[in-house]
Amino acid sequence: MQRLLLWLIRRYRKTGGGMRWFGIECNFRPSCSAYTYTAIKRYGAIKGVGMGWRRIKRCNRHDSFCKCIEPVPLKGANSSAESTTG
């Protein structure tokens, strides 16, 4: 399942991504597809897709005036520790 999902994301990105398929540009860096790809590789199919879906739901807000930098959290890292150091 994981290999299929990663292949689908690679295919989506090679064929134009969000701009071509939905006419939108991601508000995040890395893009939502790159984020989801990394999350699936790092956390597995189920958790990675969940993380990607939550990210996609927040993407493309029209009131956003800059790209938000939000990388995939490191596996096993404490999220509260990351927010104080970053």
Side-chain angles (χ1 to χ4, degrees):
M1 176 62 101
Q2 181 174 344
R3 285 178 37 186
L4 174 63
L5 291 169
L6 295 175
W7 180 84
L8 289 170
I9 292 170
R10 281 193 309 270
R11 187 80 178 137
Y12 166 79
R13 297 181 78 201
K14 284 182 182 180
T15 61
M19 190 55 79
R20 176 174 181 225
W21 293 103
F22 305 107
I24 59 173
E25 186 178 344
C26 189
N27 288 339
F28 291 99
R29 292 206 193 243
S31 68
C32 292
S33 59
Y35 181 95
T36 304
Y37 187 92
T38 302
I40 291 170
K41 283 191 74 127
R42 193 171 288 171
Y43 291 98
I46 294 172
K47 187 169 183 178
V49 168
M51 292 171 72
W53 180 249
R54 284 188 295 278
R55 167 77 172 270
I56 290 166
K57 288 188 338 185
R58 295 183 294 131
C59 189
N60 201 259
R61 293 187 177 161
H62 297 291
D63 60 348
S64 180
F65 57 90
C66 66
K67 299 268 186 187
C68 300
I69 299 172
E70 184 183 299
V72 177
L74 296 174
K75 195 169 186 175
N78 184 349
S79 61
S80 61
E82 283 183 9
S83 65
T84 59
T85 60

